[in-house]
């Protein structure tokens, strides 16, 4: 089979497409003929130099949709011919955290396609217990986009921020994968969305996707504009995956009893905090991880009914893996970048 591989860390030039053996199944695994795999920033980090990446040479790809081609011993939940999506967190499934749906916090958790071989190939192997059935009518690229980004945004908004109908939510980096997922989920919940980004094209995409207002933080004072947009009340919930560069804006824009949820630090992990913001407006700040497999099933069901519709910015063939990495790295795409082997 053909697969996108890197044998050393570096820029997009280390990626190459090669003929490799089809994975040999272990008990409990299924072989999947890949239809689509969404690219994540973790794929970029893996290629650039994250030390946790294994094995090497490495095949990336966390978010995979395809058809079961073969099953190994002891597999009962899927059969050849089933169309499936991979839940990307591999955990012990026995501890109290796993039982509570917090598999991403399991001490033994690993990330599929990051600490295992992944799905940027014609075929991939995955634990059958991590597979969820997908409608035969679903668009593979859009469905692959429902994995990591939507799982992150759903956990942030639904479980942690407890976003309600009619509330304002501020979404930083609204043109990114998590940002567009958060916009889609917030609209489903009936919330009002204001988003920030640095590119007008991304802001236009967000408006077309249902944001009520947008702010280009390079051209405007983001905190002042968000307060104006919300008539001085501020945002009831804030989605922040940027960290250092947006933390003060998040604090300034949060409403009384506001909830700030963070799940990333792409601009840096350390930011000063004015504690007065917290007690004067009784704010809550919380970290958030990827949602559990039950949440993944919910997302797939909502998408199959048309309530959620991921935005796929660009689709690339497997031979275009370098261009796909470059497109995501450039931050020019509003929505997800997807590989279609």
């Amino acid at each position: 089979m053909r697969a996108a591989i890197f044998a050393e860390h570096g820029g997009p030039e280390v990626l190459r497409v090669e003929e490799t053996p089809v994975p040999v199944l272990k008990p409990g695994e299924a072989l999947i003929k890949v239809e689509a795999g969404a690219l994540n920033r973790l794929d970029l980090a893996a290629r650039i130099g994250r030390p946790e990446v294994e094995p090497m040479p490495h095949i990336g790809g966390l978010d995979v949709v395809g058809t079961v081609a073969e099953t190994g011993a002891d597999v009962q939940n899927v059969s050849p011919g089933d169309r499936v999506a991979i839940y990307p967190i591999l955990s012990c499934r026995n501890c109290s955290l796993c039982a509570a749906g917090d598999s991403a916090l399991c001490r033994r958790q690993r990330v599929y396609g990051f600490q295992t071989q992944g799905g940027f190939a014609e075929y991939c192997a995955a634990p059958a217990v991590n597979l969820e059935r997908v409608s035969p009518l679903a668009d593979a690229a859009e469905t692959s986009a429902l994995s990591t980004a939507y799982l992150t945004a759903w956990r942030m908004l639904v479980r942690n921020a407890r976003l309600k109908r009619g509330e304002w939510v501020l979404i930083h980096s609204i043109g990114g994968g998590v940002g567009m997922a958060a916009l889609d989920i917030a609209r489903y919940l009936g919330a009002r969305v204001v988003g920030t980004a640095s590119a007008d094209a991304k802001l236009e995409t967000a408006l077309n996707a249902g944001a009520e207002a947008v702010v280009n933080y390079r051209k405007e004072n983001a905190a002042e504009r968000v307060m104006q947009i919300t008539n001085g009340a501020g945002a009831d919930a804030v989605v922040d995956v940027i960290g250092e560069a947006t933390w003060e804006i998040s604090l300034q824009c949060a409403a009384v009893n506001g909830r700030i949820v963070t799940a990333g630090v792409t601009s840096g992990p350390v930011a000063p905090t004015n504690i007065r913001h917290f007690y004067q407006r009784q704010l809550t700040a919380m970290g958030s991880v990827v949602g559990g497999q039950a949440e993944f099933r919910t997302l797939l069901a909502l998408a199959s009914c048309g309530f959620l519709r991921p935005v796929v910015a660009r689709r690339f063939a497997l031979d275009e893996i370098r261009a796909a990495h470059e497109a995501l790295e450039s931050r020019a795409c509003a929505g997800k970048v997807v590989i279609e082997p």
Side-chain angles (χ1 to χ4, degrees):
M1 70 171 190
R2 297 167 68 253
I5 292 177
F6 60 89
E8 59 183 340
H9 296 299
E13 69 277 359
V14 303
L15 293 161
R16 61 183 189 271
V17 177
E18 290 187 350
E19 287 289 338
T20 63
V22 174
V24 176
L25 295 181
K26 301 173 184 176
E29 289 187 336
L31 182 68
I32 300 164
K33 181 175 174 57
V34 179
E35 296 178 38
L39 195 64
N40 288 282
R41 303 211 75 80
L42 188 57
D43 292 301
L44 303 185
R47 184 253 301 159
I48 290 168
R50 283 283 289 269
E52 309 99 312
V53 176
E54 59 179 349
M56 293 284 276
H58 188 70
I59 302 170
L62 288 64
D63 302 343
V64 181
V65 171
T67 302
V68 175
E70 182 183 341
T71 56
D74 303 324
V75 173
Q76 298 180 345
N77 62 313
V78 294
S79 302
D82 288 346
R83 203 160 183 241
V84 295
I86 300 176
Y87 173 67
I89 302 299
L90 313 178
S91 64
C92 76
R93 295 181 173 265
N94 293 316
C95 68
S96 59
L97 290 167
C98 288
D102 291 329
S103 52
L105 296 174
C106 173
R107 290 187 177 183
R108 294 170 59 188
Q109 68 92 3
R110 295 177 300 144
V111 179
Y112 182 82
F114 180 64
Q115 290 153 308
T116 72
Q117 299 292 32
F120 293 151
E122 292 178 321
Y123 290 89
C124 67
V129 293
N130 282 68
L131 303 182
E132 295 293 335
R133 285 187 174 84
V134 172
S135 166
L137 301 178
D139 180 274
E142 291 181 3
T143 304
S144 72
L146 282 168
S147 187
T148 303
Y150 269 75
L151 280 165
T152 301
W154 183 271
R155 176 62 66 99
M156 293 176 85
L157 289 177
V158 176
R159 177 164 165 174
N160 290 329
R162 300 184 184 279
L163 188 65
K164 302 179 183 67
R165 179 174 295 276
E167 288 188 321
W168 276 103
V169 56
L170 167 61
I171 301 173
H172 291 301
S173 188
I174 198 167
V178 174
M180 292 301 291
L183 168 57
D184 200 14
I185 292 166
R187 290 189 66 245
Y188 164 70
L189 296 172
R192 307 175 71 183
V193 176
V194 53
T196 69
S198 61
D200 288 338
K202 287 187 174 183
L203 296 175
E204 183 177 353
T205 298
L207 285 172
N208 292 334
E212 193 161 327
V214 293
V215 179
N216 187 320
Y217 63 80
R218 293 193 187 280
K219 298 179 180 179
E220 302 178 90
N221 183 307
E224 289 182 2
R225 279 294 295 135
V226 171
M227 295 305 291
Q228 291 171 2
I229 290 165
T230 59
N231 294 319
D236 302 288
V238 180
V239 170
D240 193 337
V241 296
I242 305 301
E244 193 172 302
T246 50
W247 187 243
E248 180 62 24
I249 298 172
S250 296
L251 290 172
Q252 291 178 21
C253 293
V256 171
N257 291 320
R259 294 89 68 197
I260 302 171
V261 189
T262 177
V265 288
T266 58
S267 68
V270 180
T273 298
N274 185 338
I275 298 172
R276 287 192 180 90
H277 288 309
F278 281 96
Y279 70 76
Q280 288 178 347
R281 280 177 282 141
Q282 198 166 277
L283 303 182
T284 301
M286 60 197 104
S288 191
V289 293
V290 173
Q293 194 162 346
E295 290 162 289
F296 190 39
R297 283 193 291 272
T298 298
L299 289 167
L300 291 170
L302 289 172
S304 70
C305 295
F307 292 114
L308 297 177
R309 184 70 183 270
V311 174
V312 175
R314 295 189 65 183
R315 303 172 187 235
F316 291 88
L318 189 62
D319 286 331
E320 300 173 305
I321 186 69
R322 290 183 184 178
H325 273 241
E326 290 167 351
L328 182 60
E329 210 159 24
S330 72
R331 299 182 183 273
C333 296
K336 295 296 288 184
V337 173
V338 176
I339 306 296
E340 296 179 311

